[in-house]
Amino acid sequence: MLRRGLLTWVSRVGGLLVLLCCSLSILYLMTCSPPHSDSAPLSHVLPHGGSNHPSLGGTGPMIGAGPSGTRGAGDIAQSGGPPAGHSYQKLLKEREEQHHLYISSLKKQIAQLKEDLQERSLQLKRVQESLKTAANGVAEGRDEGTESQGGGFGEVQGAKSQQSDLQEFLRAQLSKAEVTSGTRLPNEYAVVPFESFTLQRVYQLEMGLTRHPEEKPVRKDKRDELGEVLEMALYSLNTPSVPAEKTQTSKVYTPSDFIEGITRTERDKGTLYELTFRGEASHEFRRLVLFRPFGPLMKVKNERMDTSNILINIIVPLSRRADKFKQFMHNFREVCVRQDGRVHLTVVYFGKEQMSEVRSTLENTSREASFKNYTLLQLDEEFSRGRGLDIGARAWKGGNVLLFFCDVDIYFTADFLNTCRLNTQPGKKVFYPVLFSQYNPALIYGRPEHIPPVEQQLVIKKDTGFWRDFGFGMTCQYRSDFINIGGFDIDIKGWGGEDVHLYRKYLHSNLLVIRAPSRSLFHLWHEKHCADELPPDQYRMCMQSKAMNEASHGQLGMLFFRHEIEAHLRKQKQQNAKKI
């Protein structure tokens, strides 16, 4: 009886132990195995960087884009594609990239906070100095001390008032700009067009020197500008200002989510940016509008400039072309001798052919205009523009003179000589004007008898010429700057190349390069010959210059289709004759 009861008790305890082990096994499996249902996404297992760590997502359009828009872990679980281990690795990699971006964001915010802290420290220091002055006044007398304290407090109040006025001004700039609504414009020419841009390209209407309708941003300030805009947009997307938005969105935006943007500048108001990003759904987008308002005008400098004692040494390299030199001297005598009177002329002549004619032209001008400030240097060697200008500049022994590197085909006025003086400063500034290049007068005016005198041809219009923004041969700079920069590359022979080489030297230096169109400096048209002896790169530059020098796009088109135009006119005459 006792044995039977003991067996029953042991069997019951054993059953309970087996049941307990099974329960523990099931509990262990439920707790430790990865979830496979939609109700338990992987985002609950791994930390979600997007919810607590907003990321700026990139540094600018020129930096390589990050990964594609990050998906929630639940999306991967639902797809049923890769195994759990691979999904974990992919998620970990995405989270690691997000945290790297977040760290980069924090570093930039710390740097900004340091700058703000320094600015606040300076303000505090100024206030402390004011209070110290007030305390010294108290030591001298109660009345004076009270007055000094009032002054320190007034300074703080004045600073706050200025800051408030500036914020109000910037808000007014935003309200005046075409951001949320348009303004009435008189015609299509008053429209300020947008430029569009992506991570790698800018699409522009004003193509500038590159002549490219689309290009990578070449200038560092343009790259930095667009990079800052993209960074600000990503920061705004990843740090919602409304708490409700923070709970609704789980996506961390990166540069790869950026589709395109448009921008334009209203010069009296500011720059508008509109950026479009991919949203969380396939047909959803996020649009951010940013505005950089322009501040009020600031007076930087007010100086008196006396140019009465600034002599200009005009250096002209020459080989043959005695007839063109005679035309140049006619303008030189009128502008430089009669009107200005503060000019020296240096002519560097290559070879012996037509040398006597050039010398005779100089002597006649000297005799008729009582002009003695000229130098004629002869070189018995092959023509090299760079070598001629270099020798002419170094031949001057009268101190630090202002140099104007010129050609025999250039026409200028007295106003240009003053512009040359005002835009140069030894050790500080050099002047590279953009001259207006004349088209072929025979194509502009038709028959030779219709061509007016040179002075009447110099009209700045799109059918008469173009801004020669690819030319850097005409320049004003002081002799000391020219010597210190190393002068021209005298190994360059023949036409072209030496001017760009010198221009780049100045761009790589600390001198300020003034590059601006000049309304009083013209390049007279002449037929251009490109010698077969030129190297391929120089020959190509010469031919490009020759093509651009003939006529405008429309005029060349009329020449190209002249047979169709003549046929059309004949057909019109025949139809009119039949009607009669």
Side-chain angles (χ1 to χ4, degrees):
M1 190 75 178
L2 179 63
R3 182 181 297 175
R4 185 182 299 176
L6 182 63
L7 287 173
T8 304
W9 180 81
V10 169
S11 63
R12 290 178 180 177
V13 171
L16 288 174
L17 288 173
V18 170
L19 182 62
L20 180 62
C21 289
C22 292
S23 301
L24 289 173
S25 299
I26 293 170
L27 182 63
Y28 174 81
L29 290 173
M30 292 177 61
T31 305
C32 299
S33 62
H36 297 281
S37 66
D38 294 346
S39 61
L42 289 178
S43 57
H44 292 286
V45 179
L46 293 176
H48 198 295
S51 61
N52 297 321
H53 305 292
S55 170
L56 289 175
T59 58
M62 295 306 299
I63 296 176
S68 302
T70 54
R71 299 182 299 171
D75 297 335
I76 297 176
Q78 291 173 10
S79 65
H86 182 71
S87 301
Y88 279 129
Q89 291 178 359
K90 187 174 181 181
L91 280 172
L92 286 172
K93 186 176 180 181
E94 289 183 359
R95 297 298 180 238
E96 184 179 2
E97 291 176 355
Q98 292 169 11
H99 287 300
H100 280 310
L101 294 173
Y102 178 60
I103 291 170
S104 175
S105 167
L106 287 179
K107 287 181 179 179
K108 291 179 180 177
Q109 293 179 33
I110 290 170
Q112 183 65 39
L113 289 172
K114 285 182 178 179
E115 292 181 4
D116 294 342
L117 181 60
Q118 290 177 354
E119 185 179 350
R120 297 293 185 272
S121 299
L122 290 175
Q123 293 178 357
L124 180 61
K125 186 176 180 181
R126 285 195 293 267
V127 172
Q128 288 176 344
E129 289 176 353
S130 301
L131 294 175
K132 186 176 180 181
T133 303
N136 292 335
V138 171
E140 296 176 359
R142 182 177 297 274
D143 295 336
E144 295 179 1
T146 303
E147 185 178 343
S148 298
Q149 290 176 354
F153 180 76
E155 183 178 347
V156 176
Q157 290 297 109
K160 290 183 178 179
S161 176
Q162 289 179 358
Q163 186 176 6
S164 175
D165 292 343
L166 178 60
Q167 290 177 351
E168 185 176 346
F169 176 83
L170 297 179
R171 283 193 293 268
Q173 292 286 78
L174 175 60
S175 63
K176 289 188 291 185
E178 288 188 79
V179 177
T180 57
S181 61
T183 59
R184 294 184 178 182
L185 302 174
N187 51 50
E188 65 272 22
Y189 300 103
V191 175
V192 180
F194 283 88
E195 290 182 353
S196 62
F197 62 95
T198 62
L199 280 177
Q200 301 292 341
R201 291 287 189 272
V202 173
Y203 302 87
Q204 53 203 3
L205 293 179
E206 297 181 3
M207 296 181 288
L209 182 61
T210 63
R211 312 288 184 207
H212 295 315
E214 63 89 26
E215 64 177 6
K216 290 183 178 181
V218 177
R219 289 177 56 99
K220 182 179 182 299
D221 58 349
K222 186 68 173 178
R223 295 198 301 269
D224 292 345
E225 175 200 1
L226 296 179
E228 181 187 5
V229 169
L230 181 61
E231 190 174 300
M232 177 72 174
L234 289 168
Y235 180 79
S236 299
L237 286 171
N238 292 323
T239 53
S241 56
V242 181
E245 293 183 13
K246 193 174 295 187
T247 57
Q248 291 175 1
T249 179
S250 60
K251 178 172 180 174
V252 176
Y253 288 86
T254 65
S256 61
D257 296 313
F258 175 61
I259 300 174
E260 70 169 351
I262 57 175
T263 176
R264 72 173 177 181
T265 298
E266 296 181 67
R267 300 197 178 192
D268 60 336
K269 300 177 184 69
T271 303
L272 174 66
Y273 308 91
E274 295 188 12
L275 292 86
T276 304
F277 293 82
R278 295 182 185 88
E280 297 191 38
S282 59
H283 298 290
E284 181 181 323
F285 301 92
R286 294 293 297 269
R287 168 68 61 83
L288 271 85
V289 180
L290 306 175
F291 186 69
R292 189 195 306 272
F294 292 161
L297 290 173
M298 297 174 60
K299 184 178 72 174
V300 177
K301 188 184 295 185
N302 183 358
E303 59 181 349
R304 186 186 302 275
M305 301 184 68
D306 184 10
T307 63
S308 59
N309 296 322
I310 299 179
L311 179 73
I312 299 179
N313 183 8
I314 300 178
I315 304 177
V316 181
L318 187 62
S319 178
R320 297 186 293 272
R321 307 188 68 190
D323 54 339
K324 289 290 184 181
F325 182 69
K326 189 177 294 184
Q327 182 182 11
F328 174 84
M329 288 306 298
H330 175 75
N331 179 55
F332 180 88
R333 179 168 53 186
E334 177 63 30
V335 173
C336 300
V337 179
R338 294 180 180 173
Q339 298 181 28
D340 190 85
R342 294 162 290 164
V343 171
H344 184 94
L345 176 64
T346 300
V347 179
V348 183
Y349 194 84
F350 289 82
K352 296 179 180 179
E353 187 180 352
Q354 300 185 10
M355 174 65 185
S356 58
E357 299 175 40
V358 171
R359 188 187 302 275
S360 176
T361 300
L362 281 171
E363 291 174 350
N364 290 338
T365 302
S366 175
R367 183 174 56 256
E368 295 171 4
S370 299
F371 178 70
K372 305 297 181 182
N373 295 334
Y374 72 90
T375 302
L376 177 61
L377 303 174
Q378 184 181 6
L379 300 177
D380 191 13
E381 60 189 63
E382 181 185 357
F383 176 78
S384 170
R385 185 178 185 272
R387 177 162 168 75
L389 293 172
D390 197 273
I391 289 176
R394 297 178 189 275
W396 177 264
K397 304 301 180 185
N400 192 19
V401 68
L402 176 57
L403 306 174
F404 171 37
F405 295 146
C406 190
D407 284 339
V408 73
D409 303 305
I410 299 301
Y411 185 99
F412 55 87
T413 67
D415 288 338
F416 171 75
L417 297 178
N418 283 328
T419 304
C420 181
R421 293 183 178 100
L422 292 171
N423 285 302
T424 51
Q425 187 177 353
K428 296 289 184 65
K429 293 190 294 186
V430 294
F431 182 41
Y432 272 84
V434 180
L435 51 81
F436 192 77
S437 192
Q438 181 190 33
Y439 288 138
N440 188 346
L443 297 179
I444 297 173
Y445 300 101
R447 299 177 181 178
E449 59 268 19
H450 295 162
I451 300 177
V454 174
E455 292 78 6
Q456 298 179 19
Q457 297 178 29
L458 305 178
V459 180
I460 300 178
K461 292 183 178 180
K462 68 176 183 178
D463 291 329
T464 60
F466 63 98
W467 290 114
R468 203 179 187 88
D469 57 352
F470 57 85
F472 307 96
M474 308 315 123
T475 171
C476 298
Q477 54 195 255
Y478 275 87
R479 183 178 181 273
S480 59
D481 295 327
F482 177 77
I483 299 297
N484 292 334
I485 207 72
F488 284 105
D489 183 355
I490 59 177
D491 294 330
I492 298 177
K493 305 296 182 183
W495 186 92
E498 80 291 331
D499 51 354
V500 181
H501 187 265
L502 179 65
Y503 182 65
R504 288 172 179 166
K505 283 185 179 180
Y506 281 115
L507 294 180
H508 297 157
S509 73
N510 292 324
L511 273 71
L512 176 63
V513 178
I514 305 296
R515 181 74 166 157
S518 176
R519 58 183 175 82
S520 50
L521 184 65
F522 298 87
H523 178 268
L524 301 179
W525 181 88
H526 61 87
E527 190 173 358
K528 193 176 291 291
H529 299 281
C530 299
D532 294 334
E533 297 79 17
L534 290 173
D537 55 342
Q538 286 186 312
Y539 188 83
R540 185 171 58 253
M541 289 172 59
C542 184
M543 291 302 295
Q544 288 174 349
S545 177
K546 182 177 181 178
M548 293 187 64
N549 217 33
E550 286 298 310
S552 66
H553 194 142
Q555 291 164 334
L556 290 175
M558 296 292 287
L559 287 174
F560 185 80
F561 295 111
R562 65 182 182 277
H563 298 300
E564 295 183 28
I565 295 172
E566 291 172 358
H568 175 74
L569 292 175
R570 285 195 300 268
K571 195 176 292 184
Q572 290 289 324
K573 287 182 180 179
Q574 292 173 359
Q575 292 177 356
N576 292 334
K578 289 180 180 179
K579 290 179 180 179
I580 294 174

